[in-house]
Amino acid sequence: MTLNVFIESLKYNAPPSDITPELQALWYDAKGNWDIAHQIVQNNSSSESAWVHAYLHRKELDIYNASYWYRIAGKPMPEISYQKEWEEISQALLLSLKSI
């Protein structure tokens, strides 16, 4: 799946069935449902979930919590827009789907 196809899927009422929980969380976040996005990643121990978790807390302006999750994910806290970060994380996760 490409980033454009993923973005196009936002016009539907449910995320694509063939994506990872982390991508589902990003999908719900883009649809304006931060709570569901957070529920999806908060109990997952993968570095990908930690990255999405960090982004969600940065977007929420909970910088202390975001900093913790960026460290867990092994990623620096970015100084880019939330939209740009959403796209970068989505693209990276979509590329990892192709390698499976």
Side-chain angles (χ1 to χ4, degrees):
M1 177 181 302
T2 66
L3 181 59
N4 287 336
V5 170
F6 184 57
I7 291 169
E8 273 294 307
S9 76
L10 295 169
K11 67 183 177 186
Y12 299 109
N13 293 326
S17 61
D18 58 345
I19 60 174
T20 64
E22 296 82 10
L23 284 166
Q24 288 175 19
L26 290 169
W27 188 92
Y28 279 107
D29 173 66
K31 296 284 278 187
N33 200 327
W34 188 95
D35 290 328
I36 289 178
H38 188 253
Q39 286 175 7
I40 291 170
V41 296
Q42 73 178 348
N43 294 318
N44 192 327
S45 61
S46 73
S47 61
E48 293 85 1
S49 283
W51 192 13
V52 175
H53 201 165
Y55 155 78
L56 290 170
H57 282 294
R58 184 174 87 90
K59 185 176 179 187
E60 180 191 35
L61 300 177
D62 183 352
I63 302 306
Y64 180 80
N65 208 351
S67 295
Y68 169 80
W69 288 106
Y70 281 112
R71 281 192 308 278
I72 297 299
K75 304 284 184 183
M77 186 178 306
E79 295 182 12
I80 57 177
S81 71
Y82 304 125
Q83 181 61 39
K84 182 69 175 159
E85 184 180 13
W86 184 94
E87 291 172 4
E88 286 184 4
I89 298 170
S90 296
Q91 183 66 45
L93 295 176
L94 288 165
L95 287 173
S96 71
L97 273 181
K98 290 181 181 180
S99 65
I100 295 176

